[in-house]
PDB file of all heavy atoms in Angstrom:
ATOM      1  N   PHE A 608      -8.835  -2.751  -5.133  1.00  0.00           N
ATOM      2  CA  PHE A 608      -8.379  -4.083  -5.702  1.00  0.00           C
ATOM      3  C   PHE A 608      -9.176  -5.161  -5.004  1.00  0.00           C
ATOM      4  O   PHE A 608      -8.583  -5.996  -4.202  1.00  0.00           O
ATOM      5  CB  PHE A 608      -6.874  -4.231  -5.505  1.00  0.00           C
ATOM      6  CG  PHE A 608      -6.068  -3.021  -5.906  1.00  0.00           C
ATOM      7  CD1 PHE A 608      -5.067  -2.558  -5.035  1.00  0.00           C
ATOM      8  CD2 PHE A 608      -6.351  -2.356  -7.080  1.00  0.00           C
ATOM      9  CE1 PHE A 608      -4.389  -1.447  -5.429  1.00  0.00           C
ATOM     10  CE2 PHE A 608      -5.623  -1.159  -7.400  1.00  0.00           C
ATOM     11  CZ  PHE A 608      -4.596  -0.745  -6.584  1.00  0.00           C
ATOM     12  N   SER A 609     -10.435  -5.209  -5.238  1.00  0.00           N
ATOM     13  CA  SER A 609     -11.355  -6.127  -4.472  1.00  0.00           C
ATOM     14  C   SER A 609     -11.019  -7.519  -4.771  1.00  0.00           C
ATOM     15  O   SER A 609     -11.224  -8.538  -4.020  1.00  0.00           O
ATOM     16  CB  SER A 609     -12.801  -5.841  -4.723  1.00  0.00           C
ATOM     17  OG  SER A 609     -13.064  -5.914  -6.139  1.00  0.00           O
ATOM     18  N   GLU A 610     -10.599  -7.816  -6.076  1.00  0.00           N
ATOM     19  CA  GLU A 610     -10.353  -9.196  -6.417  1.00  0.00           C
ATOM     20  C   GLU A 610      -8.880  -9.557  -6.198  1.00  0.00           C
ATOM     21  O   GLU A 610      -8.008  -8.831  -6.579  1.00  0.00           O
ATOM     22  CB  GLU A 610     -10.663  -9.423  -7.945  1.00  0.00           C
ATOM     23  CG  GLU A 610     -12.111  -9.202  -8.312  1.00  0.00           C
ATOM     24  CD  GLU A 610     -12.412  -9.420  -9.772  1.00  0.00           C
ATOM     25  OE1 GLU A 610     -12.091 -10.541 -10.150  1.00  0.00           O
ATOM     26  OE2 GLU A 610     -13.044  -8.547 -10.409  1.00  0.00           O
ATOM     27  N   GLY A 611      -8.660 -10.776  -5.610  1.00  0.00           N
ATOM     28  CA  GLY A 611      -7.280 -11.211  -5.410  1.00  0.00           C
ATOM     29  C   GLY A 611      -6.946 -12.334  -6.232  1.00  0.00           C
ATOM     30  O   GLY A 611      -7.644 -12.699  -7.224  1.00  0.00           O
ATOM     31  N   GLY A 612      -5.883 -12.998  -5.957  1.00  0.00           N
ATOM     32  CA  GLY A 612      -5.480 -14.211  -6.656  1.00  0.00           C
ATOM     33  C   GLY A 612      -4.770 -13.848  -8.040  1.00  0.00           C
ATOM     34  O   GLY A 612      -4.272 -12.809  -8.308  1.00  0.00           O
ATOM     35  N   CYS A 613      -4.597 -14.951  -8.770  1.00  0.00           N
ATOM     36  CA  CYS A 613      -3.903 -14.875 -10.077  1.00  0.00           C
ATOM     37  C   CYS A 613      -4.791 -15.293 -11.247  1.00  0.00           C
ATOM     38  O   CYS A 613      -5.531 -16.204 -11.138  1.00  0.00           O
ATOM     39  CB  CYS A 613      -2.559 -15.572  -9.918  1.00  0.00           C
ATOM     40  SG  CYS A 613      -1.521 -15.570 -11.434  1.00  0.00           S
ATOM     41  N   TYR A 614      -4.624 -14.725 -12.342  1.00  0.00           N
ATOM     42  CA  TYR A 614      -5.316 -15.180 -13.468  1.00  0.00           C
ATOM     43  C   TYR A 614      -4.496 -14.892 -14.755  1.00  0.00           C
ATOM     44  O   TYR A 614      -3.625 -13.997 -14.672  1.00  0.00           O
ATOM     45  CB  TYR A 614      -6.700 -14.529 -13.602  1.00  0.00           C
ATOM     46  CG  TYR A 614      -6.668 -13.046 -14.028  1.00  0.00           C
ATOM     47  CD1 TYR A 614      -6.996 -12.693 -15.297  1.00  0.00           C
ATOM     48  CD2 TYR A 614      -6.297 -12.151 -13.121  1.00  0.00           C
ATOM     49  CE1 TYR A 614      -7.041 -11.319 -15.688  1.00  0.00           C
ATOM     50  CE2 TYR A 614      -6.236 -10.739 -13.406  1.00  0.00           C
ATOM     51  CZ  TYR A 614      -6.572 -10.333 -14.662  1.00  0.00           C
ATOM     52  OH  TYR A 614      -6.624  -9.076 -15.043  1.00  0.00           O
ATOM     53  N   LEU A 615      -4.697 -15.480 -15.779  1.00  0.00           N
ATOM     54  CA  LEU A 615      -3.948 -15.296 -17.007  1.00  0.00           C
ATOM     55  C   LEU A 615      -4.790 -14.477 -18.012  1.00  0.00           C
ATOM     56  O   LEU A 615      -5.966 -14.657 -18.226  1.00  0.00           O
ATOM     57  CB  LEU A 615      -3.592 -16.634 -17.673  1.00  0.00           C
ATOM     58  CG  LEU A 615      -2.685 -17.569 -16.796  1.00  0.00           C
ATOM     59  CD1 LEU A 615      -2.585 -18.915 -17.534  1.00  0.00           C
ATOM     60  CD2 LEU A 615      -1.383 -17.000 -16.525  1.00  0.00           C
ATOM     61  N   ARG A 616      -4.063 -13.546 -18.718  1.00  0.00           N
ATOM     62  CA  ARG A 616      -4.701 -12.674 -19.654  1.00  0.00           C
ATOM     63  C   ARG A 616      -4.182 -12.921 -21.047  1.00  0.00           C
ATOM     64  O   ARG A 616      -2.955 -13.263 -21.152  1.00  0.00           O
ATOM     65  CB  ARG A 616      -4.623 -11.195 -19.292  1.00  0.00           C
ATOM     66  CG  ARG A 616      -5.216 -10.909 -17.923  1.00  0.00           C
ATOM     67  CD  ARG A 616      -5.161  -9.504 -17.681  1.00  0.00           C
ATOM     68  NE  ARG A 616      -5.874  -8.808 -18.796  1.00  0.00           N
ATOM     69  CZ  ARG A 616      -5.924  -7.501 -19.000  1.00  0.00           C
ATOM     70  NH1 ARG A 616      -5.360  -6.724 -18.103  1.00  0.00           N
ATOM     71  NH2 ARG A 616      -6.457  -6.920 -20.033  1.00  0.00           N
ATOM     72  N   GLY A 617      -4.960 -12.703 -22.038  1.00  0.00           N
ATOM     73  CA  GLY A 617      -4.481 -12.809 -23.422  1.00  0.00           C
ATOM     74  C   GLY A 617      -3.529 -11.783 -23.807  1.00  0.00           C
ATOM     75  O   GLY A 617      -2.620 -11.929 -24.556  1.00  0.00           O
ATOM     76  N   GLU A 618      -3.822 -10.460 -23.248  1.00  0.00           N
ATOM     77  CA  GLU A 618      -3.016  -9.345 -23.658  1.00  0.00           C
ATOM     78  C   GLU A 618      -1.792  -9.275 -22.809  1.00  0.00           C
ATOM     79  O   GLU A 618      -1.703  -9.827 -21.661  1.00  0.00           O
ATOM     80  CB  GLU A 618      -3.783  -8.034 -23.490  1.00  0.00           C
ATOM     81  CG  GLU A 618      -5.058  -8.005 -24.221  1.00  0.00           C
ATOM     82  CD  GLU A 618      -6.156  -8.529 -23.323  1.00  0.00           C
ATOM     83  OE1 GLU A 618      -6.042  -8.512 -22.104  1.00  0.00           O
ATOM     84  OE2 GLU A 618      -7.186  -9.001 -23.827  1.00  0.00           O
ATOM     85  N   TRP A 619      -0.677  -8.665 -23.301  1.00  0.00           N
ATOM     86  CA  TRP A 619       0.479  -8.459 -22.585  1.00  0.00           C
ATOM     87  C   TRP A 619       0.795  -6.970 -22.494  1.00  0.00           C
ATOM     88  O   TRP A 619       0.915  -6.236 -23.525  1.00  0.00           O
ATOM     89  CB  TRP A 619       1.710  -9.150 -23.338  1.00  0.00           C
ATOM     90  CG  TRP A 619       3.020  -8.929 -22.618  1.00  0.00           C
ATOM     91  CD1 TRP A 619       3.453  -9.476 -21.499  1.00  0.00           C
ATOM     92  CD2 TRP A 619       4.036  -7.995 -23.004  1.00  0.00           C
ATOM     93  NE1 TRP A 619       4.689  -8.964 -21.144  1.00  0.00           N
ATOM     94  CE2 TRP A 619       5.026  -8.065 -22.138  1.00  0.00           C
ATOM     95  CE3 TRP A 619       4.149  -7.049 -24.231  1.00  0.00           C
ATOM     96  CZ2 TRP A 619       6.295  -7.342 -22.232  1.00  0.00           C
ATOM     97  CZ3 TRP A 619       5.366  -6.354 -24.254  1.00  0.00           C
ATOM     98  CH2 TRP A 619       6.344  -6.532 -23.273  1.00  0.00           C
ATOM     99  N   CYS A 620       0.848  -6.432 -21.371  1.00  0.00           N
ATOM    100  CA  CYS A 620       1.116  -4.964 -21.197  1.00  0.00           C
ATOM    101  C   CYS A 620       2.518  -4.781 -20.801  1.00  0.00           C
ATOM    102  O   CYS A 620       3.053  -5.192 -19.815  1.00  0.00           O
ATOM    103  CB  CYS A 620       0.209  -4.484 -19.963  1.00  0.00           C
ATOM    104  SG  CYS A 620      -1.539  -4.496 -20.378  1.00  0.00           S
ATOM    105  N   SER A 621       3.270  -4.080 -21.722  1.00  0.00           N
ATOM    106  CA  SER A 621       4.679  -3.751 -21.446  1.00  0.00           C
ATOM    107  C   SER A 621       4.790  -2.550 -20.629  1.00  0.00           C
ATOM    108  O   SER A 621       3.833  -1.692 -20.573  1.00  0.00           O
ATOM    109  CB  SER A 621       5.424  -3.503 -22.801  1.00  0.00           C
ATOM    110  OG  SER A 621       4.732  -2.533 -23.509  1.00  0.00           O
ATOM    111  N   TYR A 622       5.823  -2.523 -19.806  1.00  0.00           N
ATOM    112  CA  TYR A 622       6.051  -1.331 -18.899  1.00  0.00           C
ATOM    113  C   TYR A 622       7.004  -0.294 -19.544  1.00  0.00           C
ATOM    114  O   TYR A 622       8.077  -0.773 -20.044  1.00  0.00           O
ATOM    115  CB  TYR A 622       6.514  -1.833 -17.566  1.00  0.00           C
ATOM    116  CG  TYR A 622       5.477  -2.719 -16.852  1.00  0.00           C
ATOM    117  CD1 TYR A 622       5.648  -4.069 -16.881  1.00  0.00           C
ATOM    118  CD2 TYR A 622       4.438  -2.151 -16.111  1.00  0.00           C
ATOM    119  CE1 TYR A 622       4.713  -4.852 -16.233  1.00  0.00           C
ATOM    120  CE2 TYR A 622       3.630  -2.915 -15.445  1.00  0.00           C
ATOM    121  CZ  TYR A 622       3.694  -4.299 -15.464  1.00  0.00           C
ATOM    122  OH  TYR A 622       2.846  -5.092 -14.854  1.00  0.00           O
ATOM    123  N   ARG A 623       6.658   0.924 -19.392  1.00  0.00           N
ATOM    124  CA  ARG A 623       7.491   2.046 -19.887  1.00  0.00           C
ATOM    125  C   ARG A 623       7.740   3.056 -18.871  1.00  0.00           C
ATOM    126  O   ARG A 623       6.927   3.388 -18.013  1.00  0.00           O
ATOM    127  CB  ARG A 623       6.791   2.649 -21.136  1.00  0.00           C
ATOM    128  CG  ARG A 623       6.606   1.567 -22.291  1.00  0.00           C
ATOM    129  CD  ARG A 623       5.772   2.230 -23.411  1.00  0.00           C
ATOM    130  NE  ARG A 623       5.664   1.266 -24.549  1.00  0.00           N
ATOM    131  CZ  ARG A 623       4.763   0.427 -24.730  1.00  0.00           C
ATOM    132  NH1 ARG A 623       3.820   0.233 -23.764  1.00  0.00           N
ATOM    133  NH2 ARG A 623       4.713  -0.483 -25.788  1.00  0.00           N
ATOM    134  N   SER A 624       8.886   3.683 -18.993  1.00  0.00           N
ATOM    135  CA  SER A 624       9.225   4.649 -18.022  1.00  0.00           C
ATOM    136  C   SER A 624       8.588   6.078 -18.244  1.00  0.00           C
ATOM    137  O   SER A 624       7.865   6.131 -19.263  1.00  0.00           O
ATOM    138  CB  SER A 624      10.827   4.893 -18.075  1.00  0.00           C
ATOM    139  OG  SER A 624      11.104   5.510 -19.312  1.00  0.00           O
ATOM    140  N   ALA A 625       8.696   6.923 -17.191  1.00  0.00           N
ATOM    141  CA  ALA A 625       8.015   8.190 -17.338  1.00  0.00           C
ATOM    142  C   ALA A 625       8.502   8.926 -18.564  1.00  0.00           C
ATOM    143  O   ALA A 625       7.682   9.689 -19.229  1.00  0.00           O
ATOM    144  CB  ALA A 625       8.291   8.970 -16.131  1.00  0.00           C
ATOM    145  N   MET A 626       9.741   8.974 -18.883  1.00  0.00           N
ATOM    146  CA  MET A 626      10.285   9.702 -19.981  1.00  0.00           C
ATOM    147  C   MET A 626       9.762   9.197 -21.249  1.00  0.00           C
ATOM    148  O   MET A 626       9.467   9.863 -22.288  1.00  0.00           O
ATOM    149  CB  MET A 626      11.863   9.667 -19.966  1.00  0.00           C
ATOM    150  CG  MET A 626      12.488  10.431 -18.882  1.00  0.00           C
ATOM    151  SD  MET A 626      11.954  12.172 -18.776  1.00  0.00           S
ATOM    152  CE  MET A 626      12.770  12.797 -20.359  1.00  0.00           C
ATOM    153  N   GLU A 627       9.660   7.785 -21.394  1.00  0.00           N
ATOM    154  CA  GLU A 627       9.118   7.160 -22.674  1.00  0.00           C
ATOM    155  C   GLU A 627       7.568   7.576 -22.805  1.00  0.00           C
ATOM    156  O   GLU A 627       7.186   7.830 -23.891  1.00  0.00           O
ATOM    157  CB  GLU A 627       9.148   5.658 -22.500  1.00  0.00           C
ATOM    158  CG  GLU A 627      10.592   5.135 -22.690  1.00  0.00           C
ATOM    159  CD  GLU A 627      10.597   3.605 -22.628  1.00  0.00           C
ATOM    160  OE1 GLU A 627      10.454   3.008 -23.676  1.00  0.00           O
ATOM    161  OE2 GLU A 627      10.818   3.019 -21.468  1.00  0.00           O
ATOM    162  N   LEU A 628       6.881   7.645 -21.621  1.00  0.00           N
ATOM    163  CA  LEU A 628       5.477   8.002 -21.756  1.00  0.00           C
ATOM    164  C   LEU A 628       5.379   9.474 -22.140  1.00  0.00           C
ATOM    165  O   LEU A 628       4.491   9.870 -22.938  1.00  0.00           O
ATOM    166  CB  LEU A 628       4.771   7.813 -20.471  1.00  0.00           C
ATOM    167  CG  LEU A 628       4.715   6.377 -19.927  1.00  0.00           C
ATOM    168  CD1 LEU A 628       3.970   6.330 -18.584  1.00  0.00           C
ATOM    169  CD2 LEU A 628       3.923   5.536 -20.933  1.00  0.00           C
ATOM    170  N   ARG A 629       6.234  10.292 -21.625  1.00  0.00           N
ATOM    171  CA  ARG A 629       6.181  11.751 -22.067  1.00  0.00           C
ATOM    172  C   ARG A 629       6.465  11.936 -23.590  1.00  0.00           C
ATOM    173  O   ARG A 629       5.817  12.717 -24.232  1.00  0.00           O
ATOM    174  CB  ARG A 629       7.311  12.472 -21.265  1.00  0.00           C
ATOM    175  CG  ARG A 629       7.384  13.939 -21.629  1.00  0.00           C
ATOM    176  CD  ARG A 629       8.569  14.540 -20.905  1.00  0.00           C
ATOM    177  NE  ARG A 629       8.848  15.906 -21.476  1.00  0.00           N
ATOM    178  CZ  ARG A 629       9.859  16.628 -21.118  1.00  0.00           C
ATOM    179  NH1 ARG A 629      10.874  16.134 -20.378  1.00  0.00           N
ATOM    180  NH2 ARG A 629      10.069  17.828 -21.683  1.00  0.00           N
ATOM    181  N   ARG A 630       7.418  11.170 -24.098  1.00  0.00           N
ATOM    182  CA  ARG A 630       7.721  11.220 -25.480  1.00  0.00           C
ATOM    183  C   ARG A 630       6.604  10.730 -26.386  1.00  0.00           C
ATOM    184  O   ARG A 630       6.486  11.022 -27.573  1.00  0.00           O
ATOM    185  CB  ARG A 630       8.976  10.424 -25.841  1.00  0.00           C
ATOM    186  CG  ARG A 630      10.285  11.140 -25.408  1.00  0.00           C
ATOM    187  CD  ARG A 630      11.544  10.493 -25.951  1.00  0.00           C
ATOM    188  NE  ARG A 630      11.795   9.156 -25.391  1.00  0.00           N
ATOM    189  CZ  ARG A 630      12.486   8.946 -24.315  1.00  0.00           C
ATOM    190  NH1 ARG A 630      13.077   9.926 -23.713  1.00  0.00           N
ATOM    191  NH2 ARG A 630      12.676   7.679 -23.866  1.00  0.00           N
ATOM    192  N   ALA A 631       5.770   9.834 -25.816  1.00  0.00           N
ATOM    193  CA  ALA A 631       4.622   9.310 -26.532  1.00  0.00           C
ATOM    194  C   ALA A 631       3.414  10.209 -26.406  1.00  0.00           C
ATOM    195  O   ALA A 631       2.280   9.911 -26.866  1.00  0.00           O
ATOM    196  CB  ALA A 631       4.215   7.967 -26.010  1.00  0.00           C
ATOM    197  N   GLY A 632       3.546  11.386 -25.715  1.00  0.00           N
ATOM    198  CA  GLY A 632       2.370  12.308 -25.675  1.00  0.00           C
ATOM    199  C   GLY A 632       1.639  12.165 -24.372  1.00  0.00           C
ATOM    200  O   GLY A 632       0.522  12.644 -24.311  1.00  0.00           O
ATOM    201  N   ILE A 633       2.137  11.435 -23.390  1.00  0.00           N
ATOM    202  CA  ILE A 633       1.368  11.217 -22.095  1.00  0.00           C
ATOM    203  C   ILE A 633       1.970  12.200 -21.030  1.00  0.00           C
ATOM    204  O   ILE A 633       3.160  12.135 -20.744  1.00  0.00           O
ATOM    205  CB  ILE A 633       1.431   9.814 -21.674  1.00  0.00           C
ATOM    206  CG1 ILE A 633       0.756   8.836 -22.705  1.00  0.00           C
ATOM    207  CG2 ILE A 633       0.820   9.625 -20.235  1.00  0.00           C
ATOM    208  CD1 ILE A 633       0.928   7.411 -22.285  1.00  0.00           C
ATOM    209  N   ARG A 634       1.161  13.092 -20.540  1.00  0.00           N
ATOM    210  CA  ARG A 634       1.571  14.076 -19.626  1.00  0.00           C
ATOM    211  C   ARG A 634       1.237  13.545 -18.221  1.00  0.00           C
ATOM    212  O   ARG A 634       0.414  12.690 -18.043  1.00  0.00           O
ATOM    213  CB  ARG A 634       0.914  15.429 -19.814  1.00  0.00           C
ATOM    214  CG  ARG A 634       1.341  16.120 -21.116  1.00  0.00           C
ATOM    215  CD  ARG A 634       0.648  17.377 -21.408  1.00  0.00           C
ATOM    216  NE  ARG A 634      -0.764  17.118 -21.634  1.00  0.00           N
ATOM    217  CZ  ARG A 634      -1.718  17.613 -20.863  1.00  0.00           C
ATOM    218  NH1 ARG A 634      -1.445  18.205 -19.733  1.00  0.00           N
ATOM    219  NH2 ARG A 634      -3.059  17.400 -21.153  1.00  0.00           N
ATOM    220  N   PHE A 635       1.826  14.194 -17.186  1.00  0.00           N
ATOM    221  CA  PHE A 635       1.617  13.749 -15.820  1.00  0.00           C
ATOM    222  C   PHE A 635       1.029  14.922 -15.021  1.00  0.00           C
ATOM    223  O   PHE A 635       1.308  16.075 -15.249  1.00  0.00           O
ATOM    224  CB  PHE A 635       3.009  13.325 -15.134  1.00  0.00           C
ATOM    225  CG  PHE A 635       3.527  12.150 -15.822  1.00  0.00           C
ATOM    226  CD1 PHE A 635       4.567  12.339 -16.797  1.00  0.00           C
ATOM    227  CD2 PHE A 635       3.251  10.857 -15.455  1.00  0.00           C
ATOM    228  CE1 PHE A 635       5.099  11.271 -17.424  1.00  0.00           C
ATOM    229  CE2 PHE A 635       3.807   9.741 -15.995  1.00  0.00           C
ATOM    230  CZ  PHE A 635       4.793   9.962 -17.015  1.00  0.00           C
ATOM    231  N   ARG A 636       0.222  14.505 -13.970  1.00  0.00           N
ATOM    232  CA  ARG A 636      -0.420  15.397 -13.134  1.00  0.00           C
ATOM    233  C   ARG A 636      -0.562  14.851 -11.783  1.00  0.00           C
ATOM    234  O   ARG A 636      -0.983  13.671 -11.649  1.00  0.00           O
ATOM    235  CB  ARG A 636      -1.787  15.872 -13.745  1.00  0.00           C
ATOM    236  CG  ARG A 636      -2.479  17.002 -12.902  1.00  0.00           C
ATOM    237  CD  ARG A 636      -3.926  17.211 -13.415  1.00  0.00           C
ATOM    238  NE  ARG A 636      -4.783  16.177 -13.037  1.00  0.00           N
ATOM    239  CZ  ARG A 636      -6.107  16.206 -12.989  1.00  0.00           C
ATOM    240  NH1 ARG A 636      -6.716  17.400 -13.167  1.00  0.00           N
ATOM    241  NH2 ARG A 636      -6.935  15.212 -12.716  1.00  0.00           N
ATOM    242  N   PRO A 637      -0.355  15.535 -10.652  1.00  0.00           N
ATOM    243  CA  PRO A 637      -0.562  15.130  -9.312  1.00  0.00           C
ATOM    244  C   PRO A 637      -2.095  15.059  -8.962  1.00  0.00           C
ATOM    245  O   PRO A 637      -2.847  16.007  -9.314  1.00  0.00           O
ATOM    246  CB  PRO A 637       0.118  16.051  -8.413  1.00  0.00           C
ATOM    247  CG  PRO A 637       0.179  17.396  -9.212  1.00  0.00           C
ATOM    248  CD  PRO A 637       0.271  17.011 -10.657  1.00  0.00           C
ATOM    249  N   GLY A 638      -2.491  13.991  -8.386  1.00  0.00           N
ATOM    250  CA  GLY A 638      -3.880  13.876  -7.904  1.00  0.00           C
ATOM    251  C   GLY A 638      -4.247  14.667  -6.735  1.00  0.00           C
ATOM    252  O   GLY A 638      -3.360  14.965  -6.013  1.00  0.00           O
ATOM    253  N   LYS A 639      -5.483  14.966  -6.496  1.00  0.00           N
ATOM    254  CA  LYS A 639      -5.906  15.648  -5.276  1.00  0.00           C
ATOM    255  C   LYS A 639      -5.857  14.598  -4.083  1.00  0.00           C
ATOM    256  O   LYS A 639      -5.685  15.109  -3.023  1.00  0.00           O
ATOM    257  CB  LYS A 639      -7.339  16.141  -5.493  1.00  0.00           C
ATOM    258  CG  LYS A 639      -7.439  17.228  -6.598  1.00  0.00           C
ATOM    259  CD  LYS A 639      -8.888  17.716  -6.731  1.00  0.00           C
ATOM    260  CE  LYS A 639      -8.919  18.737  -7.776  1.00  0.00           C
ATOM    261  NZ  LYS A 639     -10.346  19.272  -8.000  1.00  0.00           N
ATOM    262  N   SER A 640      -6.093  13.387  -4.356  1.00  0.00           N
ATOM    263  CA  SER A 640      -6.023  12.389  -3.233  1.00  0.00           C
ATOM    264  C   SER A 640      -4.623  11.819  -3.136  1.00  0.00           C
ATOM    265  O   SER A 640      -3.952  11.714  -4.171  1.00  0.00           O
ATOM    266  CB  SER A 640      -7.056  11.247  -3.501  1.00  0.00           C
ATOM    267  OG  SER A 640      -6.824  10.217  -2.663  1.00  0.00           O
ATOM    268  N   ARG A 641      -4.334  11.556  -1.827  1.00  0.00           N
ATOM    269  CA  ARG A 641      -2.949  10.984  -1.612  1.00  0.00           C
ATOM    270  C   ARG A 641      -3.018   9.465  -1.469  1.00  0.00           C
ATOM    271  O   ARG A 641      -2.025   8.819  -1.097  1.00  0.00           O
ATOM    272  CB  ARG A 641      -2.380  11.677  -0.399  1.00  0.00           C
ATOM    273  CG  ARG A 641      -2.122  13.066  -0.508  1.00  0.00           C
ATOM    274  CD  ARG A 641      -1.257  13.560   0.631  1.00  0.00           C
ATOM    275  NE  ARG A 641       0.060  13.071   0.724  1.00  0.00           N
ATOM    276  CZ  ARG A 641       1.110  13.628   0.066  1.00  0.00           C
ATOM    277  NH1 ARG A 641       0.958  14.622  -0.653  1.00  0.00           N
ATOM    278  NH2 ARG A 641       2.357  13.118   0.200  1.00  0.00           N
ATOM    279  N   ARG A 642      -4.178   8.889  -1.744  1.00  0.00           N
ATOM    280  CA  ARG A 642      -4.291   7.515  -1.728  1.00  0.00           C
ATOM    281  C   ARG A 642      -3.546   6.851  -2.977  1.00  0.00           C
ATOM    282  O   ARG A 642      -3.756   7.250  -4.092  1.00  0.00           O
ATOM    283  CB  ARG A 642      -5.768   6.987  -1.723  1.00  0.00           C
ATOM    284  CG  ARG A 642      -6.378   7.105  -0.325  1.00  0.00           C
ATOM    285  CD  ARG A 642      -7.608   6.301  -0.265  1.00  0.00           C
ATOM    286  NE  ARG A 642      -7.882   5.967   1.093  1.00  0.00           N
ATOM    287  CZ  ARG A 642      -9.015   5.304   1.465  1.00  0.00           C
ATOM    288  NH1 ARG A 642      -9.932   4.964   0.657  1.00  0.00           N
ATOM    289  NH2 ARG A 642      -9.211   4.979   2.814  1.00  0.00           N
ATOM    290  N   LEU A 643      -2.785   5.864  -2.704  1.00  0.00           N
ATOM    291  CA  LEU A 643      -1.924   5.246  -3.712  1.00  0.00           C
ATOM    292  C   LEU A 643      -2.737   4.464  -4.644  1.00  0.00           C
ATOM    293  O   LEU A 643      -2.164   4.076  -5.790  1.00  0.00           O
ATOM    294  CB  LEU A 643      -0.825   4.376  -2.969  1.00  0.00           C
ATOM    295  CG  LEU A 643       0.026   5.082  -1.955  1.00  0.00           C
ATOM    296  CD1 LEU A 643       1.076   4.076  -1.507  1.00  0.00           C
ATOM    297  CD2 LEU A 643       0.602   6.348  -2.528  1.00  0.00           C
TER     298      LEU A 643
END
Side-chain angles (χ1 to χ4, degrees):
F608 313 132
S609 56
E610 297 182 53
C613 181
Y614 72 105
L615 297 177
R616 302 190 50 188
E618 307 91 23
W619 176 76
C620 293
S621 57
Y622 295 96
R623 298 175 174 89
S624 66
M626 294 301 293
E627 288 182 89
L628 295 181
R629 178 190 169 189
R630 286 192 290 269
I633 298 176
R634 295 176 291 114
F635 297 94
R636 184 186 70 158
K639 296 179 181 178
S640 171
R641 297 187 68 85
R642 279 198 156 178
L643 306 183

